[in-house]
Amino acid sequence: MPANKNALLRYRTIDQCLRNPYRLWAIEGLAEAIAQSLRETEGIEKGVSIRTLQNDLQMMRSDKLG
């Protein structure tokens, strides 16, 4: 399995966070929200690095995802 097998879950969590108009998100807050989502759905205790989160945001901004 590739290293980014949880990418869809991360993208969905980032999208849900950023759609909330009542909260401004810092990168650390997004990382914690993703870590919580991974714990709840996959049982993965290890969080996500800031660099991975930055790459995910860059990927979501690009046209590669459609």
Side-chain angles (χ1 to χ4, degrees):
M1 201 72 173
N4 63 354
K5 68 178 185 174
N6 293 317
L8 183 60
L9 179 64
R10 293 193 314 263
Y11 295 156
R12 190 172 358 140
T13 304
I14 292 168
D15 186 53
Q16 288 173 351
C17 290
L18 295 180
R19 285 181 185 262
N20 183 357
Y22 302 109
R23 179 161 180 195
L24 296 176
W25 290 90
I27 195 117
E28 293 84 9
L30 285 172
E32 181 57 37
I34 292 170
Q36 181 181 0
S37 178
L38 285 171
R39 275 192 301 272
E40 291 173 357
T41 58
E42 299 291 327
I44 298 173
E45 292 296 323
K46 184 179 176 186
V48 63
S49 70
I50 299 298
R51 181 67 183 158
T52 301
L53 180 54
Q54 290 172 339
N55 287 339
D56 289 346
L57 288 170
Q58 184 177 9
M59 180 66 74
M60 291 174 75
R61 288 181 183 138
S62 73
D63 292 334
K64 292 181 182 177
L65 296 177

